[in-house]
């Protein structure tokens, strides 16, 4: 949960320092540590459907380690199948909504969504729009306040998505997301997104701080086990009709 300190983390927000950004190169060390930590994951689910949304500029390949760990923990894991995430471009949010509905129909269960970086912000907006179809959202290193000062990639995001932070559709994204509770996992070593943007968010936000990097969130076994525990905390309804 948010501490008193974290309630004010949005003040004086600025992108991660260049030093922190260079620290993302430690992902190679993170991969090595993850391999050394390899252990059989605890089974935490009997097949609850989970959709994993990649971060900006990446696709399903970037989430393969996380998905494998969740699959081994007993979840029915799904890729987003929308290619490279270039942000909330026209039609992308609609297709993502359709993807969530399709998984819910095929499994007959509400979907849990895990989103990395920008994928977490998009996932939360979908949850706000489809409250009966999405069971919960876990965000990893996500700029949940969509503040353009929170990331060094903000200008690139605007270039490829055509959306500025003050754009009406972005405000709608935030408004929809605030309707859905979210579990935000963040690291103060994040070299891509200002950790303050992940440590507090509009609406109900439960937070967990971890010792990792932005890229490391996708390969760290301890982080993945935390994600599995958070997903398992949510009651898993027997069918969509029960909601």
């Amino acid at each position: 949960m948010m501490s008193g300190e974290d309630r004010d983390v949005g003040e004086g927000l600025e992108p991660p320092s260049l030093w922190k950004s260079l620290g993302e190169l430690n992902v190679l060390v993170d991969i090595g540590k993850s391999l050394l930590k390899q252990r059989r994951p605890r089974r935490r689910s009997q097949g609850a459907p989970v959709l994993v949304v990649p971060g900006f500029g990446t696709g399903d390949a970037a989430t393969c380690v996380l998905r494998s760990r969740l699959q081994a923990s007993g979840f029915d894991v799904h890729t987003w199948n929308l290619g490279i995430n270039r942000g909330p471009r026209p039609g992308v949010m609609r297709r993502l909504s359709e993807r969530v509905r399709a998984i819910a129909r095929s499994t007959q269960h509400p979907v849990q969504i895990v989103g990395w970086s920008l994928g977490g912000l998009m996932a939360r907006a979908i949850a706000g729009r489809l409250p009966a179809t999405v069971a919960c959202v876990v965000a990893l290193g996500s700029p949940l306040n969509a503040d353009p000062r929170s990331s060094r990639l903000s200008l690139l995001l605007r270039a490829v998505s055509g959306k500025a932070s003050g754009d009406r559709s972005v405000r709608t994204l935030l408004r929809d997301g605030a309707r859905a509770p979210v579990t935000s996992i963040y690291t103060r070593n994040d070299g891509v997104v200002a950790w303050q943007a992940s440590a507090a968010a509009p609406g109900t936000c439960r937070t967990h701080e971890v010792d990792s990097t932005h890229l490391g969130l996708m390969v760290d076994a301890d982080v993945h086990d935390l994600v599995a525990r958070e997903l398992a905390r949510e009651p898993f309804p027997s069918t969509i009709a029960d909601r």
Side-chain angles (χ1 to χ4, degrees):
M1 301 295 289
M2 284 189 292
S3 67
E5 174 189 356
D6 288 337
R7 292 189 187 97
D8 299 323
V9 291
E11 298 179 5
L13 193 64
E14 59 183 26
S17 66
L18 180 59
W19 182 254
K20 277 190 177 180
S21 296
L22 290 175
E24 291 296 329
L25 296 175
N26 286 329
V27 67
L28 299 176
V29 176
D30 293 332
I31 292 174
K33 288 181 178 178
S34 185
L35 290 174
L36 291 175
K37 291 179 184 176
Q38 283 302 320
R39 56 189 180 275
R40 187 177 184 82
R42 176 180 172 185
R43 191 169 186 84
R44 297 182 180 277
S45 174
Q46 298 299 321
V50 175
L51 171 65
V52 181
V53 181
F56 174 64
T58 70
D60 290 322
T63 65
C64 63
V65 178
L66 168 61
R67 287 187 284 108
S68 176
R69 191 82 180 177
L70 293 178
Q71 191 79 49
S73 297
F75 295 94
D76 176 20
V77 185
H78 300 259
T79 55
W80 91 316
N81 285 357
L82 296 179
I84 300 299
N85 185 348
R86 295 183 174 86
R89 299 166 63 90
V92 171
M93 296 302 288
R94 174 183 55 79
R95 293 168 63 196
L96 182 54
S97 294
E98 291 172 352
R99 176 70 173 146
V100 172
R101 289 192 181 100
I103 294 172
R105 283 196 302 270
S106 66
T107 63
Q108 282 299 294
H109 290 292
V111 181
Q112 298 172 294
I113 310 180
V114 177
W116 176 40
S117 197
L118 182 63
L121 179 62
M122 295 166 66
R124 194 185 188 198
I126 294 298
R129 297 172 187 178
L130 304 174
T133 308
V134 178
C136 68
V137 174
V138 176
L140 295 158
S142 298
L144 295 175
N145 62 6
D147 191 314
R149 298 171 298 170
S150 68
S151 174
R152 290 187 172 276
L153 299 179
S154 58
L155 292 179
L156 180 58
L157 170 60
R158 179 173 182 174
V160 300
S161 70
K163 305 297 182 184
S165 62
D167 186 273
R168 181 177 178 181
S169 63
V170 174
R171 294 198 303 269
T172 299
L173 199 74
L174 287 174
R175 181 197 66 204
D176 292 345
R179 297 172 181 166
V182 63
T183 295
S184 178
I185 298 173
Y186 72 96
T187 169
R188 295 185 187 229
N189 298 322
D190 199 312
V192 177
V193 173
W195 66 267
Q196 296 93 331
S198 303
T204 303
C205 179
R206 181 169 63 218
T207 60
H208 292 280
E209 182 178 353
V210 296
D211 182 15
S212 185
T213 60
H214 190 81
L215 298 179
L217 293 170
M218 285 298 97
V219 297
D220 192 308
D222 290 337
V223 172
H224 299 171
D225 287 346
L226 174 58
V227 172
R229 291 199 302 273
E230 286 300 307
L231 292 174
R233 286 182 62 170
E234 298 292 334
F236 181 44
S238 58
T239 64
I240 290 178
D242 293 339
R243 291 178 66 81

